[in-house]
Amino acid sequence: MRNKKVIIGLIMALTLSVPVGGYLVYNSVTVSRQTTIQQEVNSKGGGKNKAEDTAKEEITHPREWEDGEELRLTENRNAYKLQIALDEKGKKILGHQKIKFRNNYNTSLKDIVFHLYPDSYNTAETRPSIGGTPPKLAEIEIGDIKIDRVNYNGEAMSYSEDNQILKIKLNKELKPGEVGEVTIDFTLKIPYSQDRLGYCRNQYSITNWYPILSIYDETEGSWDENPFHPVGESNYSDCSDYMVEIAVPKDVVVITTGVQIAKKNEGDLNKNIFEADNTRDFVLFMSSEYKVVSKEVDGVKVNSYYLYEESTAKRMLDLACKSLQYFNDTFGKYPYPEYDVVESYLSGGAMEYPTVTQMGPYGKMSENYNANELTFYDEAVVHETAHQWFYSTIGNNEFEDPILDESFTSYATALFFEDLFGKDNPLGVKGSFLDNSYRYTSPIYRSTDKYTWNEFSVIVYKIGPVVLEDLRRQVGEEKFMEIFRTYYQTYKFKNATLEGFLKIIEEKSSKDISNYIRTAFTSDTYSTDALRLRN
């Protein structure tokens, strides 16, 4: 996630682009929260937009739809099939989900655990907001996922829902190597918000939205049950195969993880079918106003979806293509056939998902750009593209190890701008990390719940990358890139750890350097001052 919370929080009320710290921040949503909430309440049931006009009076639960062929497991990956219907009037998604999985652990499983991340939107205290959260939420701002039914291997099961966790107690242990299949019916209440999950005006951002299978820790003998923390991100999942059927009013454009493989017209509705193989999760964005500009780079179709400002969308497309090409050449090839950059009403930054980047609302920007006129959005689209390598392809426990995705991504972003515009560019390594001195408390490496937002913005985005620059200077450019290419190939489609990264450093350089980097990340003694003085 590219989050300038310290900067953006001070200026979100501004309607024009304002230069702050070398960036331009755009926010085209100009009315107050109270006004927009009241407008939304007044418009409910009023048929205020085209999508609502075409919505059916009654949306039925999709569990009655024909399931089609059986789910198949590929290379022991989990297989998901979701069938969902958008209820525009009720601002809900009705979902029917199947997941087949093999017990790939060395221990028998007595229960099955799923994350219910949408429940983080139940209260202002738990809502994961990057643009600021009010002290209390209005009713339409509350998000929720309700589990309506659970079957396991064809048998109805009892279950519990608590603290963003769905837990299914098994009548019979699932032994290593055995396969289980869970069917879940659920109802998602979509909050009115400008956050990662929500709707605003005529646009829907549906992320971290369905029951997703947790990961079992064999050392601890328990499933990961960390709730989604309000600071940073808390995603942690295995790569899986997805087949998703989405029923929406036929004028609604749907953008998702993966690729669209079919569309069926059924009266006022379209059923859009998407497929995504070997991806960490699945997201979707919807609006009747979406338009698109596209290019192809290295055999990948890159799409830039926008609501109103085409020139801005073209600018984002060009930077997405250039950075994708650079990261292909630097770390290893992007493994998916498409990549989408999507405008939304997200407030406070931008956000990464497998094969999709969520941007905030666009102001009007020139299609062309140069080294002296780079904006926050220019940096953000490159940053989120880098996340396709560090989070999407190489996964990690974002709650426990935030440096492995955000610090690595911030550094990769600076490498791109350094390569494109030279070492003195403000968004390069020198300008991003070494030209300024930041106050912070060690250690750098800690779990997300040990940070405030301000600390996270400084330590994870600014200080963590300094350690990587320290590594580059110690081992040299060629060895440094070899370390990162090996890291990418080793942990592609897997979940990495700091120890795994340090092991690769030891293999490619020396144990002394590996221990030095471990100390830099984990101790109270590492200082960035010497590196800055050598800048």
Side-chain angles (χ1 to χ4, degrees), residues 235-523:
N235 297 298
Y236 184 36
S237 58
D238 286 319
C239 283
S240 303
D241 297 334
Y242 286 86
M243 181 76 72
V244 183
E245 184 178 80
I246 305 167
V248 294
K250 62 182 181 181
D251 62 344
V252 171
V253 176
V254 182
I255 305 145
T256 75
T257 302
V259 296
Q260 185 164 352
I261 60 172
K263 179 185 285 189
K264 305 174 185 175
N265 179 257
E266 297 188 4
D268 291 333
L269 296 178
N270 278 335
K271 287 185 179 178
N272 302 276
I273 302 174
F274 297 86
E275 186 175 66
D277 291 338
N278 221 355
T279 56
R280 209 157 292 283
D281 63 29
F282 190 96
V283 300
L284 58 143
F285 298 86
M286 300 178 286
S287 176
S288 59
E289 300 296 330
Y290 273 135
K291 296 166 280 293
V292 64
V293 290
S294 304
K295 286 183 182 178
E296 186 171 305
V297 56
D298 266 5
V300 178
K301 185 179 181 183
V302 182
N303 304 301
S304 180
Y305 288 91
Y306 64 100
L307 296 168
Y308 306 110
E309 300 294 347
E310 182 177 16
S311 62
T312 307
K314 288 181 176 179
R315 180 175 177 136
M316 297 300 101
L317 176 64
D318 187 70
L319 281 163
C321 288
K322 281 188 171 70
S323 57
L324 189 145
Q325 177 76 70
Y326 174 78
F327 298 134
N328 271 351
D329 296 339
T330 303
F331 303 124
K333 190 166 172 57
Y334 177 79
Y336 304 107
E338 288 191 14
Y339 172 50
D340 299 324
V341 177
V342 184
E343 181 186 7
S344 71
Y345 288 105
L346 179 69
S347 175
M351 188 65 201
E352 73 278 0
Y353 310 97
T355 79
V356 183
T357 281
Q358 179 186 14
M359 301 293 287
Y362 292 164
K364 187 172 182 60
M365 300 170 67
S366 169
E367 181 179 342
N368 302 310
Y369 55 91
N370 60 56
N372 299 317
E373 297 179 350
L374 295 172
T375 72
F376 168 78
Y377 269 23
D378 297 328
E379 183 191 21
V381 72
V382 173
H383 179 100
E384 306 309 340
T385 302
H387 266 304
Q388 296 303 313
W389 280 258
F390 306 106
Y391 160 69
S392 185
T393 306
I394 303 175
N396 62 283
N397 186 332
E398 292 186 309
F399 179 84
E400 297 289 348
D401 304 316
I403 65 165
L404 289 182
D405 53 294
E406 290 298 351
S407 294
F408 284 35
T409 293
S410 291
Y411 188 77
T413 304
L415 284 180
F416 166 78
F417 283 107
E418 181 178 282
D419 180 78
L420 186 65
F421 292 122
K423 292 186 177 182
D424 290 329
N425 183 264
L427 298 185
V429 172
K430 180 176 176 290
S432 293
F433 312 123
L434 301 179
D435 280 350
N436 300 294
S437 180
Y438 300 95
R439 291 182 176 272
Y440 70 98
T441 303
S442 297
I444 299 166
Y445 182 81
R446 58 180 108 157
S447 59
T448 302
D449 60 336
K450 304 302 182 185
Y451 294 102
T452 65
W453 254 124
N454 286 351
E455 290 172 329
F456 195 91
S457 297
V458 171
I459 296 172
V460 175
Y461 287 109
K462 296 294 185 181
I463 306 303
V466 172
V467 179
L468 298 179
E469 175 63 8
D470 201 344
L471 174 63
R472 179 166 71 150
R473 295 189 182 190
Q474 293 205 35
V475 302
E477 187 80 18
E478 183 177 346
K479 187 68 67 176
F480 180 81
M481 292 306 175
E482 185 181 353
I483 287 169
F484 267 87
R485 283 192 288 269
T486 302
Y487 179 61
Y488 181 72
Q489 291 302 322
T490 301
Y491 288 101
K492 188 177 181 180
F493 306 129
K494 300 175 184 177
N495 283 299
T497 62
L498 177 59
E499 286 303 314
F501 179 64
L502 294 171
K503 182 179 179 181
I504 290 172
I505 295 175
E506 180 178 343
E507 291 172 352
K508 298 297 179 181
S509 58
S510 71
K511 187 172 184 178
D512 286 345
I513 291 178
S514 180
N515 286 338
Y516 176 82
I517 297 300
R518 174 186 283 106
T519 300
F521 277 127
T522 62
S523 76

Side-chain angles (χ1 to χ4, degrees), residues 59-62 65 82-97 118 144-148 185-191 197-199 204-207 209-211 244-248 254 283-286:
I59 304 295
T60 58
H61 203 290
W65 296 351
L82 289 104
Q83 297 165 298
I84 66 172
L86 174 64
D87 176 359
E88 280 263 271
K89 285 190 174 181
K91 303 304 181 195
K92 296 177 181 178
I93 284 179
L94 304 179
H96 175 62
Q97 170 179 320
D144 181 73
I145 184 169
K146 179 180 179 295
I147 304 302
D148 301 313
D185 291 336
F186 64 92
T187 302
L188 174 72
K189 179 181 180 292
I190 308 169
L197 171 66
Y199 72 93
Y204 292 83
S205 299
I206 310 298
T207 72
W209 58 281
Y210 59 95
V244 183
E245 184 178 80
I246 305 167
V248 294
V254 182
V283 300
L284 58 143
F285 298 86
M286 300 178 286

